[in-house]
Amino acid sequence: MDVARNPPIPAYFGVSVTIPLRIHDRNQGEKARTQLDITRNERLQAANESQVFSDVDSAYATLSGSLEILKTYKAQYLQQAERVRDTISFSYRNGGASLLDFLNAQNDYRSTQLNYLNLIGSYMTAANQLNLATGREVIP
């Protein structure tokens, strides 16, 4: 807007309107590429977050399963294998069982103990996986 006085004209009033027309924007390609990179990185972040949640859920499920099997072994199978071994051993010493039965009972008892120790190892591995997935020591 312009208001002024010019000597041959006593007073005048003028208005001008400017509208920028973009015919060619040099940065238009870079802006689109940057927006694509932003969108891609947001999707990668969402994928990484869901992968972390999946890893934690999987490690926790493995840990829980190992713990349940360990409880069963400790409460039932180890004692049962020891009772069978002791019974067969007593029977063998008193002539009621053969050497083969005695050796099979010893073998079964030791394989039960070995399975129990392997389960402890898998429990510790699962605990380590959970600690790794969460990024801190959840189960010491």
Side-chain angles (χ1 to χ4, degrees), residues 24-59:
H24 181 66
D25 186 5
R26 285 191 232 160
N27 293 328
Q28 193 171 10
E30 285 299 317
K31 288 177 184 177
R33 188 176 331 186
T34 303
Q35 186 60 42
L36 286 174
D37 284 342
I38 290 170
T39 305
R40 177 181 170 271
N41 288 332
E42 287 172 349
R43 289 184 181 161
L44 285 174
Q45 180 183 2
N48 286 337
E49 287 175 359
S50 45
Q51 181 66 38
V52 166
F53 289 132
S54 173
D55 288 347
V56 170
D57 287 343
S58 174

Side-chain angles (χ1 to χ4, degrees), residues 8-121:
I9 302 170
Y12 73 90
F13 177 74
V15 176
S16 69
V17 176
T18 306
I19 300 174
L21 294 175
R22 286 192 179 184
I23 296 173
H24 181 66
D25 186 5
R26 285 191 232 160
N27 293 328
Q28 193 171 10
E30 285 299 317
K31 288 177 184 177
R33 188 176 331 186
T34 303
Q35 186 60 42
L36 286 174
D37 284 342
I38 290 170
T39 305
R40 177 181 170 271
N41 288 332
E42 287 172 349
R43 289 184 181 161
L44 285 174
Q45 180 183 2
N48 286 337
E49 287 175 359
S50 45
Q51 181 66 38
V52 166
F53 289 132
S54 173
D55 288 347
V56 170
D57 287 343
S58 174
Y60 183 75
T62 303
L63 183 73
S64 298
S66 295
L67 187 60
E68 288 302 314
I69 294 172
L70 267 174
K71 285 179 183 178
T72 305
Y73 257 82
K74 192 171 185 177
Q76 183 180 2
Y77 295 135
L78 286 176
Q79 295 170 358
Q80 184 178 4
E82 188 174 358
R83 274 195 324 266
V84 168
R85 183 196 63 171
D86 291 343
T87 303
I88 296 293
S89 176
F90 178 77
S91 180
Y92 174 71
R93 277 184 272 146
N94 293 323
S98 67
L99 177 63
L100 188 59
D101 292 337
F102 174 70
L103 292 176
N104 280 338
Q106 287 287 356
N107 186 26
D108 290 343
Y109 174 72
R110 293 197 180 177
S111 67
T112 303
Q113 281 187 327
L114 179 64
N115 288 339
Y116 178 70
L117 292 175
N118 285 335
L119 282 172
I120 290 173

